[in-house]
Amino acid sequence: MTASTLFEKLWRAHEVVPETADRPAVLYIDLHLVHEVTSPQAFAVLRSRGLPVRRRDRTVGTMDHSTPTRADELYGRVPIRLESAARQVRELEKNAAEFGVELLGIEHPDRGIVHIIGPELGLTQPGKTIVCGDSHTSTHGAFGALAFGIGTTEVGHVLATQCLLQRKPRTLAVNVTGRLAPGVTAKDLVLAIIQRLGVGGGTGHVLEYRGATIEALSMDERMTVCNMSIEAGARAGLVAPDETTFAYLQGRPRAPQGAAWDAALAAWRGLRSDPGARFDRELAIDASNLQPMITYGTNPGMSVGLDEAIPAKGGDAIHAKALEYMGLAAGQRMRGQKIEVVFIGSCTNGRLSDLRAAAGVLRGRRTAPGVKLLVVPGSQRIKREAEREGLDRVFVEAGAEWRESGCSMCLGMNGDLVERGAYCVSTSNRNFEGRQGVGARTLLASPVTAAASAIEGRVADPRAFLS
């Protein structure tokens, strides 16, 4: 039997109708995650055609993108400032009730960012196909699931049929060796991978992250890496499930229990690329040479190590436009760049381990004068656990604002904005023009780099804060 990659195994297990030259494959979807931004039009199509949700038991909704993170607004003590956000929240509440879809609503104790609540509840499991109307659905690939973002029209297709039309992607193995140095994180690793591949280097491919370095990562770290696969243009990212995966999932509310767990575990252990399986492309990364990374431009591929200078790319109009927007210049080093805002959160770095790492840098220190530090947990579960550990007090005593969970300042659609021209060190995943607000200048980095920068009031090296 021909050796198969993990992706090929997942694809074959869910292929209802194979693709032809004229027609995409029909792929079965195991889990459909829904949020308030990309679902209203899809539910409207179902309503207009008199269609039900095909598999309500495989559909779960949450509220994250538009939800305010200030408690007064979130819980109705004052009106939501943005009417567009309030309208999207009301629409999902109405649609979930009408179509019988489970919704982790505003006051639900398990509400949070869609790509955080799936794993922490045990909804995300190895071997599943998972879709959501959000680009960073690739996060769930950290569990050995084939997970990718879909558009609003496709959200409607999955709601109505539990299937999706898809062309089969190619495969790209990202082989990572070498130990990450102190102060260098999974966020730095994935920024370095995207820098090497470029923002279009993974287009048409599913990335499989492999090697001893990946195997040594925690599940939170693997999720950070897979989360940003789309920023290299990839359709999805994958890590083969292993004992780290199984230990994370065991006992979670929606994970299999008892005999069902034993059966699932037996199946999951086979979800690996076979020895000798051929990938369409391969990329090798030596992680031992990496340093803390930060972006300088207007896409995640425009990044440098903190000890490196912004490169000169003569004749590259896109690069020149990015530097003009960012107010930066070729040859400049990002370390020492003055900043006004720091954001710690998002589906990339809003997990408990991220908050612990940032708190480790901030404990006993204060943010620099004039710097706004916003810390937003990825879910209400994470918020409660962080408060039990006293992390919220560390942040507040350092001068930060501690908020309710949500996407927050990752994107400018919920009231959490960066002012025009201000520099924001952000632990999120995109630094596009205007992503955090009109004219905002986003510098993507890890939680420890973000925390160190908040203390110094300029881009700072977290290695200087290691005890």
Side-chain angles (χ1 to χ4, degrees), residues 151-314:
T152 297
T153 300
E154 293 172 310
V155 170
H157 292 171
V158 178
L159 288 173
T161 69
Q162 205 59 32
C163 290
L164 194 61
L165 296 173
Q166 284 289 294
R167 288 287 181 186
K168 187 177 181 181
R170 298 183 295 279
T171 54
L172 197 166
V174 181
N175 302 304
V176 188
T177 57
R179 179 177 296 182
L180 293 171
V184 181
T185 71
K187 181 64 163 290
D188 303 306
L189 171 60
V190 72
L191 285 173
I193 291 170
I194 296 166
Q195 182 199 64
R196 283 279 302 276
L197 280 173
V199 291
T203 301
H205 293 76
V206 169
L207 309 184
E208 184 181 334
Y209 301 98
R210 299 154 50 83
T213 309
I214 300 299
E215 292 170 3
L217 297 179
S218 69
M219 288 311 302
D220 285 2
E221 292 169 321
R222 296 177 191 186
M223 284 187 267
T224 293
V225 171
C226 286
N227 173 274
M228 293 192 69
S229 301
I230 184 66
E231 307 310 335
R235 194 73 182 102
L238 287 170
V239 176
D242 58 12
E243 297 305 318
T244 301
T245 318
F246 310 146
Y248 178 98
L249 285 172
Q250 190 167 21
R252 297 204 175 252
R254 306 294 182 92
Q257 308 292 330
W261 170 261
D262 295 335
L265 204 57
W268 294 345
R269 292 189 189 281
L271 295 176
R272 305 189 68 80
S273 291
D274 297 326
R278 296 176 64 90
F279 292 84
D280 294 301
R281 292 170 57 198
E282 298 203 28
L283 172 70
I285 298 283
D286 181 357
S288 66
N289 295 326
L290 300 182
Q291 58 179 291
M293 303 287 289
I294 193 157
T295 61
Y296 63 83
T298 53
N299 70 54
M302 296 181 182
S303 67
V304 290
L306 289 180
D307 294 330
E308 298 171 343
I310 296 173
K313 296 187 178 182

Side-chain angles (χ1 to χ4, degrees), residues 68-71 74-75 111 376-377 380 383 402-406:
T69 59
R70 296 180 185 275
L74 187 65
Y75 299 123
R111 185 189 64 80
V376 184
Q380 293 303 100
K383 182 174 188 289
W402 173 249
R403 298 284 188 85
E404 301 294 317
S405 67

